[in-house]
Amino acid sequence: MNKSIRKAAVIGSGIMGSGIAAHLANVGIPCLLLDMVPKQLTEEEAAKGLTLENPAVRNKLALSAITRLTKTKPAPLFDNSFAERITPGNLEDHLSQLAQVDWIIEVVVENLEVKKGLLQKIEGVWTPGTIVSSNTSGISINDMVAACGEDFKKHFMGTHFFNPPRYMKLLEIIPGEQTDPEFVTFMKGFCEKVLGKGVVMAKDTPNFIANRIGTYGLLVTLREMTENGFTVEEVDAVTGPAMGRPKSATFRTLDLVGLDTFVHVADNVYNHVLNESEKSIFAVPPMLQTMVEKGWLGEKSGQGFYVKKKVSGGSEIFSLDMTSMEYVPQKKPKSASLEAAKLAKGAREKTKALIAAKDRYSELAWNILKQVLVYSAEKFGEISDSIQEIDDAMKWGFSWEIGPFEAWDAIGLQRSVERMEAEGLTVPAWVKDWIAAGNTSFYKQEEGKLYSFHVGSSEYKEVEFAPEVINLRSLKERNKVIKGNSGASLIDLGDDVTCLEFHSPNNAIGGDILSMITQSLDEVRKNYKGMVIANQGRNFCVGANIMLLLMEAQDEEWDEINDIIYMFQNTMYKVKHFEKPVLAAPHRMCLGGGVEACMPADQVVASAETYYGLVEVGVGLIPAGGGLKEFALRSSQQAKVEGVDLQPFINHAFQTIGTATVSSSGYDARKIGYLRPTDRVVANQDFSIYEAKQAVLGLANTDYKQVPQEKIRVVGSEGKAVLQLGAIEMKRGGYISDHDLLIAKKLAHVLAGGDVPAGSLVTEQYMLDLEREAFLSLCGEAKTQQRMHHMLTKGKALRN
C-alpha cells in the first residue's frame, strides 16, 4: 500500500479536538479544524456590527480554540508558532475541503447518534482512500458506521488519543469489523513513528482497554474505601507511588480528569455490558453522584476530593471527609507497609513490599490489586488478545509503572493465585492452565530477549518490537557491554556503532562518567565507526554532581575542584574534536552538565519532549563544562555568516543562561539556541537511539571530517559593559539580589571573552580557562554554597 498523510482534518474544536490538531501541527502536518456555526451573536459581536454571515463569527469556535492552544498550560504545542499550521473553519462552509485531506478525525460529543449523522455527512464529500477515524473513549466503532457504505467502512477505525494528546503516550487503534487490515497496519506505524505514540490494538468493546480496566480499578478502590472506612489521603497514599502508580494516585487523578467525565465513562460500560456482576461494579457510587450534582467536579470547578483554601501565611490543600462531606486538613498516613514500599527500589519491588507487609494499608492494597488482576485476566481475549498490550495500555494511558500482568509477576503468580482462591475469588481458567503447564510468570527474560504468555499456547512466545526500538538493557543482558564502570557503560549497538550510557544516580555527571567517556573515545578510535551518547533512564542527565562539589567547596579543596572542572572541559573538548562522529540523543530533563555533554556532539537527536537548559545560576554558579565557550563560538559563527553585529547574539546567550531558561520541548530548545539548525528532533523517544545510530553511520560512510579548532571572535570589554549594565539595572529595579548580580557579572565576563578589545579572536582553551576561573571564584562564595545546599535538601532554588 502506497499511502502517506500530508494533511489532516479534525472535526470538533473542544479540548480534545484542538489538542489532537495541535499535536498534528507539532509533527509538521497541516490541519483543518472544523466546528459548528454559532446560532447567535454575542453582545460584543453585535456591538462591532458583525453578522452571522461574517467568517470571524462562523469560524469562531475553531478560531478561539486555536488561540486557546497558545495560552494553555501545559502547552499543547511544541512551539506556539506551530499554531499557524492549523486552519480554522466550520462544517457548513468548509465540509467539502475534507476531500483534500489524507486523514479525517471525528472528535465531537460522545453521542452515538451525533457521530453517526456526522460520519454520513463526511462520507458525502469523502475521497476514497482517505482514512477516517473517531476519537471516541468507548462508543462502538461498528455502530457508528452501520449506515455507511462498504468502502467507507474499510477506511474507518477508532483512534483513541488520551488527554492531553501531546503528553500522553497511549493511542488505542480500534479496527471495525470491515476495516482493511492494510490501513490498520499503516496507521499503527504512522502513529508510532510520526506522532510518537505508543499504539495498542484494541477490540470494539465498551471503553476499549485502558479506560475499561482503569475505570474498574478506580471504582473498586472507591468501594473498598467506603466499606472499610479509609480517608481520601489514606487511599492516595496506598494507590500512588507505593504501588508503582503516579503521585496523583486515585483521587487527585479523578480531580484532574473531572468527576463528570469519569461518571460518563463508567456509565458507558454500565449501559453496555450484559454480565450483571460486572454491571454492578460500574454502577456509579452515590457519593460521586452527589459530588457531581453539587458541581464538585475537581480542578475544572475548583474543588473535588481536594480543594485549595487560603490560610494564614498562604494556602493549604484540604481533603474531603466522605462521611461529613466537609473539607478537613490532611493527615499524612504512616505505616510499616508504606515505609517498606518507600524504601524498595522500582515499582515491582515497591508493590511486592507493600503487599507483603501485614497492616491495614497492606490489606487495602491487596484488596484493590487482586480484583484488578483478576478482572484484567477475565477481560483478556475480550478487550485484547495480548497481555503485553494490556500492560502497555495501562502504563501509557494511566502512567502505571507496571501493568497488571507485570504486577502479578512481581508479587508471585502462583502464590498470589493460591491466596486469591483461598479468599473466594474465581481466577480465570486460562491463568490456572498456564501455571499447571509449569510456568511461574507471564513474562520471562532469556539472553536479552523478552518472552510472554501467548494466547492458544502453553509455551512462551518472544515479544516482538519495532526495528527502530533499541533496548540498552536487553543489549547489556546479551553481553554487549564493551567496557564500563559505576557511572557509565560503552555498549555495542551493532554495525560498528557504540552507545555511551550514563547510569549514575540521576545520571549526574562525575569523574566516573568523564573517565568512561575518555576510555570510550579510545575504544571507538581503534575499533568502531562512531558513538552515540544516550541512556534510557527517567531523565537524560540532571547535571553535575552537586553534592561532591559542595563537599569539596566546604573543605576548601580548590585544587580538587579545579581538577574536576578541567577534566570535564578537557573531556568535552576531546568529544568535539574527535576524529569519528559522535552524536547525542537526550530526552526529558537534560540540564546543566547534561547539556554540556551534548553540545560538543556532531549532531543532537533530541526527543520532542526534551527539557534542555543551562541552569547553573540556580545553584549560584555558571556553566563551566564548555557550555559558555560553545555559546560564544556559535554566536561568533552565526554573526560572521549573517554579516551582522555580534553583540545581540551574546546578549541573547547572556539572558538565556542568566535566567536559567529551560526549553519546553526539543523544538523550543532549537528556538532558544541550545540546539543548532542541523540538530534533529524526533517524535518518539523510543526511536531516538536508533535514529542517532543511523546518523552516525551516515556521517561515517560519507568521508567524515573532524571538527577543526576555530578562533572565536568576542565582544570583549565593551560588550561586557553592555551585559553588566543590564544586570545592574535589574538589581536597581529589585528584580535580582546582590548575589545574583555577582553571578551575572561573572557570566558576562566569560561570555564577552574577558577584558580584551572588542572583535578580538581568542582560542577555545582561552574561553575554557575563563569559565573555570569564574566557576572556582563562585564556589568560594558562602551564598553559592547555601544555594547548593538548599537545592540538595529542598530540591528547589534558593534566592539569597
Side-chain angles (χ1 to χ4, degrees), residues 465-498:
F465 296 96
E468 296 90 353
V469 175
I470 293 176
N471 188 305
L472 297 181
R473 177 183 173 187
S474 174
L475 289 173
K476 290 192 285 188
E477 289 172 351
R478 287 156 53 194
N479 299 315
K480 296 296 184 179
V481 175
I482 302 163
K483 56 178 55 185
N485 62 20
S486 59
S489 295
L490 185 68
I491 302 167
D492 186 349
L493 295 180
D495 300 316
D496 294 328
V497 179
T498 64

Side-chain angles (χ1 to χ4, degrees), residues 620-687:
L621 297 167
I622 62 169
L628 300 186
K629 179 264 293 182
E630 282 297 309
F631 256 108
L633 175 58
R634 293 178 185 184
S635 297
S636 174
Q637 292 170 333
Q638 193 171 355
K640 182 179 179 180
V641 168
E642 297 181 15
V644 294
D645 182 22
L646 175 60
Q647 186 71 47
F649 295 100
I650 296 298
N651 292 350
H652 175 73
F654 179 71
Q655 181 178 13
T656 298
I657 300 165
T659 55
T661 301
V662 176
S663 73
S664 60
S665 70
Y667 292 95
D668 190 43
R670 179 182 291 154
K671 182 178 180 180
I672 292 169
Y674 285 124
L675 296 184
R676 301 157 292 193
T678 53
D679 294 329
R680 291 178 53 206
V681 180
V682 296
N684 194 326
Q685 182 180 313
D686 295 339
F687 294 0

